[in-house]
Amino acid sequence: MKIEPKITPIYQTSVFKFDDLNELEQYFGEPGSRYLYSRNGNPNSDELAEAVNKLEGGAGAVATGSGMAAIFAAILACCQAGDHVLCAADIYGGSSSLLNTELSRLGITVTYVPFEQLYELTDFVQPNTKLLLAETISNPLLRVADLRRLATECHRHGLKLVVDNTFASPVITRPLELGADISLHSVTKYISGHSDVTAGVAVAADEQTAARLKQIGVLYGLTLSPMESWLAVRGLKTLRLRMREHSHNALAVAEFLAQHPKVRQVYYPGLLDHPQHMLAMEQGAGLFGGMMSILLEDDAEVVNEFMRRSQRFPFAPSLAGVDSSLSYPLGTSHRYLTPEQQQGLGITVGLVRLSVGIEPIVDLLADLEHALD
Ligand SMILES: *Cc1c(COP(=O)(O)O)cnc(C)c1O
């Protein structure tokens, strides 16, 4: 009987069989010709890595058990004990915690660079600085980094540029084409897109770095399971459609909220008054994604009332699923910053982050109208 599945089945196996020693020799002699052990490689996780690699225009990628593992792999691919990294001050909370509390113990030090100074790194670079970590679109203020300028500035100082492209997705921005050396994702977010997977991926622009990423994945055991890989591949197939809908809905929500008397500020790159609107337009091919933040009155009771009244935006501290949700930066992602750091980043009591989904836009607008009433 001939079985030819249209899509890759789930290879839910930790190990693969060999008939004889010749096959074993073939495995080692012709890399990529067979599978041996799923931590080293599995058809499902390879399919995910290859699919994202293709979308990002990379030379190779590794799929990891989470976005955090992808960040860890990317930093380790470029650094060893004694090295120093630069990190954009507007960065995912997990990334700064990883650098501050774990990588520092391994002898890798960090300096944070304020958003305004990202394109002039001279004062921050040390002889042992190896890379800059930055996000295409930052959380929660949706600041957009000019990746071409950033890559030029990094390479002028001999640094690698590592971009966390989670908020943009490769549909909106492809960092490697703009000069970045590694582009990485929390696949948990837009790439899988349905809030049912925890995964990551790191993509390298050159083959040598890609090989390092894969080796780090294998030796640190950052591997992604077959089932999670399969779900992420399934989600990825609709990424382009979803990003269009997320962007379309978010722009309508942003325009609605920008004129609402209860909303003091809307942070969304698609709005004309966003400081990097033109850059976001060019770099994002006219799409701005589904993420935004809004500033309500700086009063916890006002925020509570908004959360309780909204039915379409449940509080769920993740993002980028097909169903809308909201998060609260001061109480979650940026909870452990000092009050000065929170103030400096504009993260105050009234700041709420929305992840706009792909529901009918009339439903979302009606819900927000009601929640703010
Ligand atoms: C969620 C997120 C991460 C971490 O990803 P996990 O899959 O939760 O490990 C990293 N960077 C950004 C921008 C994120 O939103």
Short mmCIF file of all heavy atoms in Angstrom, two decimals, residues 105-133:
data_model
loop_
_atom_site.label_atom_id
_atom_site.label_comp_id
_atom_site.label_asym_id
_atom_site.label_seq_id
_atom_site.Cartn_x
_atom_site.Cartn_y
_atom_site.Cartn_z
N ARG A 105 26.02 35.65 34.93
CA ARG A 105 26.71 34.63 35.71
C ARG A 105 27.67 33.82 34.85
O ARG A 105 28.58 33.18 35.36
CB ARG A 105 25.70 33.67 36.35
CG ARG A 105 24.77 34.34 37.35
CD ARG A 105 24.00 33.34 38.18
NE ARG A 105 23.38 32.31 37.37
CZ ARG A 105 23.65 31.01 37.47
NH1 ARG A 105 24.49 30.57 38.37
NH2 ARG A 105 23.04 30.15 36.69
N LEU A 106 27.43 33.81 33.54
CA LEU A 106 28.33 33.10 32.62
C LEU A 106 29.43 34.04 32.13
O LEU A 106 30.18 33.69 31.21
CB LEU A 106 27.56 32.54 31.43
CG LEU A 106 26.37 31.63 31.74
CD1 LEU A 106 25.77 31.08 30.45
CD2 LEU A 106 26.78 30.48 32.65
N GLY A 107 29.48 35.26 32.66
CA GLY A 107 30.55 36.17 32.30
C GLY A 107 30.27 36.99 31.05
O GLY A 107 31.19 37.54 30.44
N ILE A 108 29.01 37.09 30.67
CA ILE A 108 28.64 37.94 29.52
C ILE A 108 27.93 39.17 30.09
O ILE A 108 26.88 39.04 30.73
CB ILE A 108 27.73 37.18 28.53
CG1 ILE A 108 28.49 35.98 27.95
CG2 ILE A 108 27.23 38.10 27.43
CD1 ILE A 108 27.63 35.01 27.15
N THR A 109 28.52 40.35 29.89
CA THR A 109 27.98 41.57 30.50
C THR A 109 27.12 42.33 29.48
O THR A 109 27.21 42.09 28.27
CB THR A 109 29.10 42.48 31.01
OG1 THR A 109 30.03 42.69 29.94
CG2 THR A 109 29.82 41.85 32.19
N VAL A 110 26.31 43.25 29.98
CA VAL A 110 25.37 43.96 29.11
C VAL A 110 25.33 45.45 29.45
O VAL A 110 25.47 45.82 30.62
CB VAL A 110 23.94 43.34 29.23
CG1 VAL A 110 23.42 43.38 30.66
CG2 VAL A 110 22.95 44.03 28.29
N THR A 111 25.15 46.26 28.41
CA THR A 111 24.86 47.69 28.57
C THR A 111 23.61 47.99 27.75
O THR A 111 23.50 47.53 26.60
CB THR A 111 26.03 48.56 28.05
OG1 THR A 111 27.22 48.20 28.75
CG2 THR A 111 25.74 50.05 28.26
N TYR A 112 22.69 48.74 28.35
CA TYR A 112 21.46 49.08 27.64
C TYR A 112 21.61 50.42 26.93
O TYR A 112 22.18 51.37 27.47
CB TYR A 112 20.27 49.10 28.62
CG TYR A 112 19.98 47.71 29.11
CD1 TYR A 112 20.55 47.24 30.29
CD2 TYR A 112 19.21 46.84 28.35
CE1 TYR A 112 20.34 45.93 30.71
CE2 TYR A 112 18.99 45.54 28.77
CZ TYR A 112 19.55 45.09 29.95
OH TYR A 112 19.33 43.80 30.35
N VAL A 113 21.07 50.47 25.71
CA VAL A 113 21.19 51.67 24.89
C VAL A 113 19.80 52.29 24.71
O VAL A 113 18.90 51.62 24.18
CB VAL A 113 21.78 51.32 23.49
CG1 VAL A 113 21.97 52.58 22.66
CG2 VAL A 113 23.08 50.55 23.63
N PRO A 114 19.61 53.55 25.14
CA PRO A 114 18.31 54.19 24.97
C PRO A 114 17.93 54.27 23.49
O PRO A 114 18.82 54.38 22.63
CB PRO A 114 18.51 55.60 25.55
CG PRO A 114 19.70 55.48 26.44
CD PRO A 114 20.56 54.43 25.84
N PHE A 115 16.65 54.23 23.21
CA PHE A 115 16.16 54.20 21.83
C PHE A 115 16.77 55.32 20.99
O PHE A 115 17.19 55.10 19.86
CB PHE A 115 14.62 54.31 21.82
CG PHE A 115 14.03 54.21 20.45
CD1 PHE A 115 13.88 52.97 19.84
CD2 PHE A 115 13.65 55.35 19.76
CE1 PHE A 115 13.36 52.87 18.56
CE2 PHE A 115 13.13 55.26 18.47
CZ PHE A 115 12.98 54.01 17.87
N GLU A 116 16.83 56.51 21.56
CA GLU A 116 17.31 57.68 20.80
C GLU A 116 18.79 57.55 20.42
O GLU A 116 19.25 58.25 19.52
CB GLU A 116 17.15 58.97 21.63
CG GLU A 116 15.72 59.30 22.05
CD GLU A 116 15.19 58.39 23.16
OE1 GLU A 116 16.00 57.83 23.93
OE2 GLU A 116 13.95 58.21 23.22
N GLN A 117 19.54 56.69 21.11
CA GLN A 117 20.98 56.61 20.85
C GLN A 117 21.41 55.36 20.07
O GLN A 117 22.59 55.10 19.92
CB GLN A 117 21.74 56.69 22.18
CG GLN A 117 21.73 58.11 22.76
CD GLN A 117 22.08 58.11 24.24
OE1 GLN A 117 21.22 57.90 25.09
NE2 GLN A 117 23.34 58.35 24.53
N LEU A 118 20.43 54.62 19.57
CA LEU A 118 20.73 53.34 18.92
C LEU A 118 21.61 53.48 17.68
O LEU A 118 22.29 52.54 17.29
CB LEU A 118 19.43 52.62 18.52
CG LEU A 118 18.70 51.87 19.62
CD1 LEU A 118 17.36 51.33 19.11
CD2 LEU A 118 19.55 50.71 20.15
N TYR A 119 21.58 54.64 17.03
CA TYR A 119 22.31 54.78 15.76
C TYR A 119 23.67 55.44 15.96
O TYR A 119 24.34 55.79 15.00
CB TYR A 119 21.46 55.55 14.75
CG TYR A 119 20.07 54.97 14.65
CD1 TYR A 119 18.97 55.65 15.19
CD2 TYR A 119 19.86 53.72 14.09
CE1 TYR A 119 17.70 55.10 15.14
CE2 TYR A 119 18.60 53.15 14.03
CZ TYR A 119 17.52 53.85 14.57
OH TYR A 119 16.27 53.29 14.53
N GLU A 120 24.05 55.66 17.22
CA GLU A 120 25.36 56.24 17.51
C GLU A 120 25.94 55.47 18.70
O GLU A 120 25.76 55.85 19.85
CB GLU A 120 25.21 57.74 17.82
CG GLU A 120 26.54 58.45 18.08
CD GLU A 120 27.67 57.99 17.17
OE1 GLU A 120 27.68 58.38 16.01
OE2 GLU A 120 28.56 57.25 17.65
N LEU A 121 26.59 54.33 18.39
CA LEU A 121 26.98 53.38 19.44
C LEU A 121 28.38 53.61 20.00
O LEU A 121 28.78 52.90 20.94
CB LEU A 121 26.87 51.95 18.90
CG LEU A 121 25.46 51.50 18.49
CD1 LEU A 121 25.50 50.13 17.83
CD2 LEU A 121 24.52 51.47 19.71
N THR A 122 29.10 54.58 19.45
CA THR A 122 30.51 54.76 19.84
C THR A 122 30.71 54.79 21.35
O THR A 122 31.62 54.15 21.88
CB THR A 122 31.07 56.07 19.22
OG1 THR A 122 30.75 56.06 17.83
CG2 THR A 122 32.56 56.20 19.42
N ASP A 123 29.83 55.53 22.06
CA ASP A 123 30.00 55.68 23.51
C ASP A 123 29.68 54.40 24.28
O ASP A 123 29.96 54.31 25.47
CB ASP A 123 29.09 56.79 24.04
CG ASP A 123 29.55 58.16 23.55
OD1 ASP A 123 30.69 58.24 23.04
OD2 ASP A 123 28.78 59.12 23.66
N PHE A 124 29.07 53.43 23.63
CA PHE A 124 28.64 52.21 24.34
C PHE A 124 29.54 51.02 24.05
O PHE A 124 29.55 50.06 24.80
CB PHE A 124 27.20 51.86 23.95
CG PHE A 124 26.21 52.93 24.31
CD1 PHE A 124 25.84 53.90 23.39
CD2 PHE A 124 25.65 52.99 25.59
CE1 PHE A 124 24.93 54.89 23.72
CE2 PHE A 124 24.75 53.97 25.93
CZ PHE A 124 24.39 54.93 24.99
N VAL A 125 30.23 51.07 22.92
CA VAL A 125 31.02 49.92 22.48
C VAL A 125 32.29 49.78 23.30
O VAL A 125 32.97 50.76 23.57
CB VAL A 125 31.36 50.04 20.97
CG1 VAL A 125 32.30 48.92 20.54
CG2 VAL A 125 30.09 50.02 20.14
N GLN A 126 32.58 48.55 23.71
CA GLN A 126 33.82 48.24 24.42
C GLN A 126 34.65 47.30 23.52
O GLN A 126 34.11 46.74 22.56
CB GLN A 126 33.51 47.54 25.75
CG GLN A 126 32.66 48.40 26.69
CD GLN A 126 32.22 47.64 27.95
OE1 GLN A 126 32.72 46.56 28.24
NE2 GLN A 126 31.29 48.22 28.68
N PRO A 127 35.94 47.11 23.83
CA PRO A 127 36.75 46.23 22.96
C PRO A 127 36.16 44.82 22.86
O PRO A 127 36.35 44.14 21.85
CB PRO A 127 38.11 46.19 23.67
CG PRO A 127 38.15 47.41 24.52
CD PRO A 127 36.74 47.72 24.91
N ASN A 128 35.43 44.37 23.90
CA ASN A 128 34.90 43.00 23.90
C ASN A 128 33.42 42.94 23.51
O ASN A 128 32.76 41.91 23.72
CB ASN A 128 35.11 42.36 25.28
CG ASN A 128 34.48 43.19 26.41
OD1 ASN A 128 34.16 44.36 26.20
ND2 ASN A 128 34.32 42.60 27.58
N THR A 129 32.85 44.02 22.97
CA THR A 129 31.44 44.01 22.59
C THR A 129 31.26 43.18 21.32
O THR A 129 31.99 43.35 20.35
CB THR A 129 30.92 45.43 22.35
OG1 THR A 129 31.29 46.24 23.46
CG2 THR A 129 29.42 45.45 22.19
N LYS A 130 30.27 42.26 21.34
CA LYS A 130 30.10 41.35 20.22
C LYS A 130 28.81 41.59 19.43
O LYS A 130 28.75 41.27 18.25
CB LYS A 130 30.10 39.89 20.72
CG LYS A 130 31.49 39.43 21.17
CD LYS A 130 32.42 39.38 19.99
CE LYS A 130 33.87 39.09 20.25
NZ LYS A 130 34.45 39.07 21.52
N LEU A 131 27.77 42.10 20.08
CA LEU A 131 26.50 42.21 19.36
C LEU A 131 25.60 43.26 19.97
O LEU A 131 25.80 43.70 21.11
CB LEU A 131 25.77 40.85 19.33
CG LEU A 131 25.27 40.26 20.65
CD1 LEU A 131 23.89 40.79 21.04
CD2 LEU A 131 25.17 38.75 20.52
N LEU A 132 24.59 43.62 19.18
CA LEU A 132 23.49 44.44 19.68
C LEU A 132 22.21 43.64 19.50
O LEU A 132 21.94 43.11 18.42
CB LEU A 132 23.39 45.75 18.89
CG LEU A 132 22.13 46.58 19.18
CD1 LEU A 132 22.23 47.31 20.52
CD2 LEU A 132 21.86 47.59 18.08
N LEU A 133 21.41 43.56 20.57
CA LEU A 133 20.09 42.93 20.50
C LEU A 133 19.03 44.04 20.49
O LEU A 133 19.02 44.90 21.38
CB LEU A 133 19.89 42.01 21.72
CG LEU A 133 18.49 41.41 21.89
CD1 LEU A 133 18.14 40.45 20.76
CD2 LEU A 133 18.39 40.68 23.24
#
